[in-house]
Amino acid sequence: MNENAFEVRKVAVIGTGVIGNGWISRFLAQGLEVIAFDPGEGAEQRTHAAIQQAWPSLVHIGLAENASADHITFVETIEEAVKDADVIQENVPEREDLKKSVLAEIDRFAKPEAIIASSTSGIMPSQLQEDLQNPGRMIVAHPFNPVYILPLVELVGGQKTDQVTIERANAFYSSINMKPLIVQKEIEGHVADRLMEALWREALHLVNDGIATTEEIDASIIYGAGLRWAQMGPFLTFHLAGGEKGMRHMLEQFGPALKLPWTKLEAPELTDELKEKVIEGCETHAGESSVYELEVKRNEFLVKLLDLVEEYWHEPMETAK
Amino acid sequence: MNENAFEVRKVAVIGTGVIGNGWISRFLAQGLEVIAFDPGEGAEQRTHAAIQQAWPSLVHIGLAENASADHITFVETIEEAVKDADVIQENVPEREDLKKSVLAEIDRFAKPEAIIASSTSGIMPSQLQEDLQNPGRMIVAHPFNPVYILPLVELVGGQKTDQVTIERANAFYSSINMKPLIVQKEIEGHVADRLMEALWREALHLVNDGIATTEEIDASIIYGAGLRWAQMGPFLTFHLAGGEKGMRHMLEQFGPALKLPWTKLEAPELTDELKEKVIEGCETHAGESSVYELEVKRNEFLVKLLDLVEEYWHEPMETAK
């Protein structure tokens, strides 16, 4: 571990839209110094407004000792932004040609040992790094909006990414209070966006086919799956739906539904191998906890979460009144 | 409204698995009297254990004045169970032939004005009611596990369901602290399960293709989308991701991703008509609230929810340590 010890003090943020500004707020709250670059008119002002908006949440979550909303400097060129940075976070619009040309410029001026991270939500790192001089230090680090609150960051290395870069990135993003998910294989959309996109596409079909309105669909998630997913995600949620025998029973009971026209998406064949992967995954995650014990925890969580939902959201469904 | 006034005192629960027992717990907490039937050995004992487990959550949520965990009677026949019931909730295993034969027997002995509700997660009510003598009072009322905590219930009428049945069902389930979603058109899997199933199928593909483990997928939802969906669902979440212009900007930016191979599911064509439906839906739902105002609410909610997640769940990802 020691040889990977890698101290981050300065972070460059290239591109300051919603995602770039989210990163800036998180970095500042963690006591880092930020150098920002964005060619858009009024960018600096928008960034300060965004930091203002984010700050109360960050105070609530807890600021680092030396954190300051003022530790940010806007500069005029990418060169100036990246030349002293330990980590460079790229957040320009999601167009491959644009990202590649910006990354090439970053690559030209960054310190050799700096990490160059792209926030891309869909493009595979191997494509982004193919023309870089020093591609080993380039990685995808894909966050979720609002970046200053949500802990998930997907780390995806490309064919040319060095292992040490993945390890350093993992250590760095963990150190700023995030939950890195190291994605084992490159794929368009990584992991989380593929899941969101599947739900999103089906939701668009439902609206398109006149089955439900956007508000009804939101309500169907909020008051059903959303509450459960916030705690346990889709797999462990179904593990609990299986009763005492967990996922094994669940797959016996609802496995056949994969063949039904319940979505426009075709499911994979539920082979014995896939079944075992899923069952074993859930049992490993559950660890020592029985389904009963997990249910007790779930119930306490859900009751409190429901209170929170009631407190923070206006009634989204008229029918319920 | 007055002609639909419909007082419910006795509810019959036919089939006492996880879902049936969930209904029983909710009904009892709401002060209703329950008559249960299940031919399985030891069913009565399992039901009492399930009520025991559910009760602390129900106490926390708030019991009706006359609620008692003892207001339940198990009987030996469907006839006995349903003959005096105002609402009959059917929860036998998800096989169309079995459900149809049980519903036929319920139909034979139920009071003419009783509501006959099926908890089916996937079968369309028109199929279930086609052979009933009095199909107008039959409806799908599909709940979510744990039924005694989650508020969502999907109400779906079939071709032969009377409008008054939908109205009475809406009033009844609202009165027991639920959020009914009246589904406008019958479709396999109704609404919420289609959305869940889309995500579930994509998740199975990711496991099958070795992209991520079940635990990593759970983490990717918990720490990312799950937290947001618990509050706002998929549409309003994206409305906020669009910045000041909301969903309109979001569709401009991420609409083209619908063409990308981000899932195994084919998306609908993003026609102008579909775009307007989605944008209008979000704007109507947001109402007077600007995106900025919604963001402030969102942040307060997410910060508290994150505390709750930390409190109630063990670290699901080793990589984050």
Side-chain angles (χ1 to χ4, degrees):
Chain A
M1 271 308 278
N2 228 6
E3 60 179 324
N4 302 341
F6 164 71
E7 204 182 352
V8 179
R9 291 195 179 168
K10 267 193 191 169
V11 182
V13 173
I14 308 301
T16 58
V18 171
I19 294 298
N21 285 335
W23 278 120
I24 290 171
S25 302
R26 180 180 282 270
F27 293 146
L28 292 174
Q30 292 292 327
L32 296 165
E33 192 185 329
V34 176
I35 316 135
F37 170 78
D38 190 301
E41 209 175 318
E44 186 166 354
Q45 207 183 334
R46 279 195 299 278
T47 293
H48 285 292
I51 297 168
Q52 280 298 103
Q53 199 194 340
W55 213 252
S57 301
L58 290 163
V59 168
H60 191 295
I61 292 169
L63 299 177
E65 225 172 277
N66 51 339
S68 162
D70 298 331
H71 289 169
I72 176 168
T73 318
F74 265 78
V75 294
E76 296 296 320
T77 63
I78 288 181
E79 177 178 0
E80 242 186 300
V82 308
K83 67 182 188 336
D84 296 322
D86 306 304
V87 170
I88 296 126
Q89 191 79 40
E90 169 277 307
N91 325 278
V92 302
E94 195 72 7
R95 297 201 323 263
E96 191 175 332
D97 55 342
L98 176 63
K99 284 203 180 272
K100 285 177 82 166
S101 88
V102 168
L103 287 166
E105 199 173 340
I106 293 170
D107 183 47
R108 199 171 312 132
F109 298 114
K111 294 193 292 187
E113 69 279 15
I115 290 175
I116 302 178
S118 172
S119 298
T120 179
S121 45
I123 309 169
M124 295 196 281
S126 290
Q127 283 168 265
L128 293 175
Q129 74 190 169
E130 61 186 2
D131 304 327
L132 300 186
Q133 297 297 315
N134 186 351
R137 60 187 171 162
M138 190 268 160
I139 192 169
V140 164
H142 174 233
F144 294 80
N145 185 50
V147 180
Y148 49 94
I149 300 179
L150 291 190
L152 184 65
V153 57
E154 292 176 312
L155 301 181
V156 197
Q159 281 158 27
K160 295 181 181 170
T161 303
D162 295 333
Q163 185 55 33
V164 67
T165 302
I166 297 174
E167 288 163 16
R168 284 176 170 179
N170 189 20
F172 168 63
Y173 292 103
S174 297
S175 80
I176 59 167
N177 208 15
M178 299 188 87
K179 306 279 187 192
L181 170 62
I182 299 174
V183 180
Q184 298 304 329
K185 280 189 195 175
E186 288 182 277
I187 188 173
E188 291 90 349
H190 323 316
V191 170
D193 273 1
R194 288 187 78 91
L195 299 169
M196 278 192 261
E197 185 80 15
L199 187 140
W200 171 239
R201 290 180 182 193
E202 186 68 29
L204 288 175
H205 278 296
L206 291 172
V207 171
N208 202 37
D209 297 346
I211 309 292
T213 67
T214 65
E215 196 169 332
E216 287 170 342
I217 288 171
D218 279 349
S220 81
I221 291 293
I222 295 167
Y223 292 115
L227 299 182
R228 301 187 304 199
W229 284 338
Q231 185 187 23
M232 296 196 172
F235 283 102
L236 215 60
T237 294
F238 279 158
H239 183 62
L240 268 68
E244 266 171 62
K245 285 195 207 145
M247 181 55 83
R248 192 171 297 277
H249 180 66
M250 166 67 200
L251 287 181
E252 276 163 26
Q253 203 170 5
F254 280 97
L258 290 173
K259 301 282 186 201
L260 297 175
W262 276 15
T263 70
K264 303 243 176 179
L265 173 68
E266 220 176 299
E269 192 65 38
L270 197 59
T271 59
D272 286 348
E273 201 193 332
L274 178 53
K275 263 190 191 167
E276 284 311 310
K277 268 193 192 176
V278 168
I279 293 165
E280 211 190 295
C282 288
E283 289 177 351
T284 305
H285 187 185
E288 303 281 296
S289 307
S290 69
V291 168
Y292 179 84
E293 287 164 339
L294 292 173
E295 281 173 350
V296 171
K297 257 191 181 173
R298 176 199 65 191
N299 287 357
E300 287 184 27
F301 176 89
L302 285 179
V303 167
K304 291 192 181 173
L305 178 50
L306 264 178
D307 286 345
L308 214 54
V309 169
E310 290 301 317
E311 187 183 342
Y312 277 96
W313 196 233
H314 58 267
E315 192 78 351
M317 257 194 310
E318 290 305 316
T319 53
K321 277 177 184 160
Chain B
M1 272 307 282
N2 228 5
E3 61 180 323
N4 302 341
F6 165 70
E7 202 182 354
V8 178
R9 293 198 177 165
K10 267 194 190 171
V11 181
V13 173
I14 308 300
T16 58
V18 171
I19 295 298
N21 285 336
W23 277 120
I24 289 171
S25 301
R26 180 179 282 271
F27 293 146
L28 292 174
Q30 292 293 328
L32 296 165
E33 191 185 330
V34 176
I35 317 135
F37 170 78
D38 190 300
E41 209 175 317
E44 186 165 355
Q45 204 181 336
R46 279 194 300 278
T47 293
H48 285 292
I51 298 168
Q52 281 296 105
Q53 199 194 338
W55 212 252
S57 301
L58 290 163
V59 168
H60 191 295
I61 292 168
L63 299 177
E65 223 173 278
N66 51 340
S68 161
D70 298 332
H71 289 169
I72 176 167
T73 318
F74 266 78
V75 295
E76 297 295 319
T77 62
I78 289 181
E79 176 178 1
E80 241 185 302
V82 307
K83 67 183 187 341
D84 296 321
D86 304 305
V87 171
I88 296 126
Q89 190 79 39
E90 170 276 306
N91 325 277
V92 302
E94 196 70 8
R95 295 202 325 264
E96 191 175 331
D97 54 342
L98 176 63
K99 284 203 181 275
K100 286 178 81 166
S101 87
V102 168
L103 287 165
E105 199 171 341
I106 293 170
D107 183 48
R108 199 170 314 131
F109 298 113
K111 296 194 291 188
E113 70 279 14
I115 290 176
I116 302 178
S118 171
S119 297
T120 179
S121 44
I123 309 168
M124 295 196 282
S126 291
Q127 282 168 267
L128 293 176
Q129 74 190 169
E130 62 186 1
D131 303 326
L132 301 186
Q133 296 298 314
N134 186 352
R137 60 186 171 162
M138 190 267 160
I139 192 170
V140 164
H142 173 231
F144 295 80
N145 185 51
V147 180
Y148 49 94
I149 300 180
L150 291 190
L152 183 66
V153 58
E154 292 176 313
L155 300 182
V156 197
Q159 281 158 29
K160 296 182 180 170
T161 303
D162 295 334
Q163 186 56 33
V164 67
T165 301
I166 296 174
E167 288 162 18
R168 284 177 170 178
N170 189 20
F172 168 62
Y173 292 104
S174 298
S175 79
I176 59 167
N177 207 16
M178 298 187 88
K179 305 280 186 189
L181 170 61
I182 299 175
V183 180
Q184 298 304 329
K185 280 189 194 175
E186 288 184 277
I187 188 173
E188 291 90 350
H190 322 317
V191 170
D193 273 1
R194 288 185 79 90
L195 299 169
M196 278 193 262
E197 185 81 13
L199 187 140
W200 171 239
R201 289 180 183 194
E202 187 66 29
L204 289 175
H205 278 296
L206 291 172
V207 171
N208 202 37
D209 298 345
I211 309 293
T213 66
T214 64
E215 196 170 333
E216 287 170 342
I217 287 171
D218 279 349
S220 81
I221 291 294
I222 295 167
Y223 292 114
L227 299 182
R228 301 187 304 198
W229 285 338
Q231 184 188 23
M232 297 196 172
F235 283 102
L236 214 61
T237 294
F238 280 157
H239 183 62
L240 267 68
E244 268 171 59
K245 286 195 206 144
M247 182 55 84
R248 192 171 298 277
H249 179 67
M250 166 69 200
L251 287 181
E252 276 162 27
Q253 203 171 3
F254 280 97
L258 290 173
K259 300 282 185 197
L260 297 175
W262 276 16
T263 69
K264 304 244 176 181
L265 173 69
E266 222 177 299
E269 193 65 39
L270 197 59
T271 59
D272 286 348
E273 201 193 332
L274 177 54
K275 264 190 190 168
E276 284 312 310
K277 267 194 192 175
V278 168
I279 293 165
E280 211 190 296
C282 288
E283 289 176 351
T284 305
H285 187 185
E288 303 281 295
S289 307
S290 70
V291 168
Y292 179 85
E293 288 165 340
L294 292 173
E295 281 172 349
V296 171
K297 256 190 183 173
R298 176 200 63 191
N299 287 357
E300 288 183 25
F301 175 88
L302 284 179
V303 167
K304 291 193 182 173
L305 177 50
L306 263 178
D307 285 346
L308 213 55
V309 169
E310 290 302 317
E311 187 183 341
Y312 276 97
W313 194 232
H314 59 268
E315 191 76 350
M317 257 194 308
E318 290 305 315
T319 55
K321 277 179 184 159

